[in-house]
Amino acid sequence: KSHLDFMQMMTPLDSKVYPERMGQVFIINAPKYFVHTWNAISKLLDQKTRKKIRLLAGPEQWRPELSKIMDLRLLPRHMG
C-alpha cells in the first residue's frame, strides 16, 4: 500500500516537472499477472502519458512493433 501511495503522490509531480521527457515506453515479456498490476498503475498516469506506454507480450507481439522504430540487431542477444 505504501508503494501505491508513493506513486499516487509522485505521478502528478512528474507530469508537471517532466511533461514531455518520455517518448515511448515498451514493456515487453511481462508475465501474465502484470496486466493486473499495470491496470492499477496506469490509472495513476495522465492519459497523455498512458498513450506512450505499450504493454506487449512475447516476441510475436513486440518484435513487429519494435522493428518499426529501431533496428532489432541493437537489442541484447538474450532478448532474441
Side-chain angles (χ1 to χ4, degrees), residues 3-47:
H3 290 69
L4 191 56
D5 292 338
F6 179 75
M7 285 199 61
Q8 286 176 320
M9 178 192 70
M10 290 302 295
T11 301
L13 179 63
D14 282 348
S15 296
K16 290 177 186 169
V17 178
Y18 306 108
E20 294 299 321
R21 301 280 295 168
M22 180 175 65
Q24 294 182 55
V25 173
F26 294 91
I27 300 173
I28 62 172
N29 295 334
K32 289 182 181 181
Y33 67 83
F34 184 74
V35 172
H36 301 294
T37 304
W38 172 245
N39 287 336
I41 293 170
S42 67
K43 292 175 184 172
L44 303 173
L45 304 173
D46 64 78
Q47 184 177 7

